[in-house]
Amino acid sequence: MPLYEIEHCIPLSKEQRDELAQTITHIHTKKFSTPSLFVNVRFTDVRDHCMYIAGQQRTSNRIFGVVRAGGPRTAESFDELAQQLEAAWDAVINGGKRGHGDKEMKVVSIQGSITAGVESGLLLPRAGGDAAWLNENKPMFERLAQAGDADFVQLLDEMQNREDLVKALSDDAIRGESREMIGVFPRVCSHGPTRSRESFNELCSEINSAWHHIVHPELSNSELPPRELELAAIFITSELLAGMKVGFPVPAAGTEIAWAKEHFESFKERAALGDEDFVDYVEELEKKPEFNEAPRSE
């Protein structure tokens, strides 16, 4: 579920990468009761990248974490997470002391921006909803494990033997009985005026289905694809606060039609100049009923 990317400006041995990945996985799983299977760690050697700090070219080591925010996860818990990640780097790379120079961990950044996603074919739960999600999907995990998927064999082992997960699953089972009796359901988490969590989940499912249809269409949904052909994860992150694309400001979520009407004359000018993207876009807009319903900007 989370993705941690480690940018390093010093060479790291496989042993160091392994230890860092295992330590980061342990930190995240213990802090948020997340199964190990869903913690992703990626290393990027940036020795050949151009990095500037304060306008001066420099090198630095950085860790970026993209996680699910909300639920019981507080700002304080993310502060602690950042400190633990920095300490993990120093423990593995600097013998437990604070690093200096090229061995210093310059930046640890945690971004709570995963809105929705699919991992191992399953829609991701909301932050804080992991235990309920694990209980709900346990029959599927068991089928995948029986089919020989080693990842899900490990997941079931953690669900049965990892103390924090066992407790979380047990507590959720009790809460689940209460929810069933009194009819309490999670609220919709919205991002933008017209975009709900459900709409992002549908988007993830459609992307996953498209991958299946194109990459391994000969397999049924119940068959496991070869590991190199499996779409391991889809993450939808938020929020895009602002941006520019081909000279136009990016619209806020849910305002695309109003934005297109506002800039339509400029789009037509670009199309008239021979920009094929805008030729297609103008044609597409003119065919949209919702685009033609309201008046355009003069």
Side-chain angles (χ1 to χ4, degrees), residues 32 68-73 125-133 172 175:
F32 300 121
R68 293 166 299 146
R73 301 181 178 186
R126 292 172 55 205
D130 296 45
W133 178 81
D172 175 74
R175 288 195 299 270

Side-chain angles (χ1 to χ4, degrees), residues 19-36:
E19 187 174 356
L20 274 169
Q22 290 162 9
T23 303
I24 290 171
T25 299
H26 178 80
I27 289 170
H28 188 96
T29 57
K30 294 303 179 184
K31 179 165 286 295
F32 300 121
S33 295
T34 302
S36 301

Side-chain angles (χ1 to χ4, degrees), residues 142-211:
E142 291 172 338
R143 289 196 298 273
L144 290 167
Q146 290 169 1
D149 191 315
D151 287 338
F152 285 91
V153 172
Q154 178 187 345
L155 173 59
L156 287 174
D157 180 71
E158 286 192 10
M159 290 174 66
Q160 294 165 3
N161 298 303
R162 214 181 86 191
E163 186 175 343
D164 61 321
L165 268 187
V166 170
K167 183 178 186 306
L169 293 170
S170 176
D171 290 347
D172 175 74
I174 296 171
R175 288 195 299 270
E177 293 174 1
S178 299
R179 284 197 298 268
E180 185 174 348
M181 287 188 293
I182 62 177
V184 176
F185 299 94
R187 67 179 177 85
V188 172
C189 179
S190 297
H191 291 266
T194 62
R195 299 184 177 184
S196 66
R197 179 176 174 81
E198 284 73 14
S199 68
F200 287 117
N201 282 340
E202 290 171 5
L203 174 61
C204 291
S205 295
E206 289 168 4
I207 294 171
N208 193 52
S209 296
W211 175 276

Side-chain angles (χ1 to χ4, degrees), residues 248-268:
F248 295 97
V250 174
T255 67
E256 289 85 356
I257 292 297
W259 173 84
K261 290 174 182 175
E262 179 184 353
H263 297 287
F264 188 64
E265 293 304 316
S266 297
F267 297 163
K268 289 198 295 184

Side-chain angles (χ1 to χ4, degrees), residues 278-296:
F278 281 89
V279 171
D280 293 340
Y281 188 41
V282 167
E283 182 180 352
E284 178 186 335
L285 286 172
E286 290 177 333
K287 292 179 180 178
K288 286 181 177 288
E290 62 270 32
F291 180 77
N292 295 295
E293 287 173 357
R296 301 171 193 167

Side-chain angles (χ1 to χ4, degrees), residues 2-25 39-47 49 60-64 85 88-90 92-93 105:
L3 170 61
Y4 291 98
E5 179 155 12
I6 302 173
E7 294 186 351
H8 54 96
C9 65
I10 58 172
L12 297 181
S13 67
K14 183 180 185 305
E15 290 73 18
Q16 288 173 318
R17 293 196 303 271
D18 288 349
E19 187 174 356
L20 274 169
Q22 290 162 9
T23 303
I24 290 171
T25 299
V39 180
N40 304 274
V41 181
R42 180 171 63 191
F43 292 86
T44 303
D45 189 332
V46 296
R47 283 177 288 175
H49 293 201
S60 65
N61 303 297
R62 305 187 297 178
I63 297 177
F64 296 99
L85 293 173
W89 171 271
D90 284 334
V92 175
I93 305 301
M105 175 51 63

